[in-house]
Amino acid sequence: MATTITANGINFPDGSAGSPSIGGSDTNTGLFTGADIIGFSTGGSERLRIDSDGRLLLGTTTPGNSTADDLTIATSSNTGITLRSATNGEGNIFFQTNLYAYVLSQQ
């Protein structure tokens, strides 16, 4: 499928991590679409994916645990998340259910 412009928007061919649909002069870096996914690649490797269930997958194409798979982060080595706030701010992570709320906070 070629790129087409219609009254409903711009349609791009699907593409892949190694050959993204949308990119610049670096031909293996950009955005691609596929079977109900949107992906982003750098250096020909998929780095980020949003799947048909709205899950955000970083460094992986496999969702996490079925009860906690909205955001999955994976690498082949150490994995972590850094939250950086201003020197006079707070870094917070909130966990909430219908009955309880939990906060991890560093001040």
Side-chain angles (χ1 to χ4, degrees):
M1 174 179 127
T3 301
T4 58
I5 300 174
T6 69
N8 295 322
I10 302 172
N11 298 307
F12 297 92
D14 282 349
S16 65
S19 183
S21 310
I22 302 171
S25 60
D26 185 350
T27 59
N28 64 0
T29 297
L31 179 143
F32 61 94
T33 60
D36 293 327
I37 64 112
I38 296 173
F40 296 86
S41 65
T42 60
S45 296
E46 183 171 327
R47 306 299 182 181
L48 180 143
R49 171 183 289 215
I50 301 171
D51 72 9
S52 60
D53 290 320
R55 296 178 291 217
L56 178 60
L57 308 172
L58 297 171
T60 184
T61 59
T62 305
N65 183 287
S66 63
T67 62
D69 66 352
D70 298 316
L71 169 63
T72 301
I73 301 171
T75 65
S76 60
S77 186
N78 299 331
T79 301
I81 298 173
T82 299
L83 303 176
R84 185 172 289 126
S85 60
T87 55
N88 60 346
E90 297 179 2
N92 299 302
I93 298 176
F94 295 89
F95 301 90
Q96 184 171 357
T97 68
N98 289 336
L99 299 175
Y100 304 101
Y102 305 94
V103 179
L104 300 176
S105 183
Q106 176 64 45
Q107 298 178 333

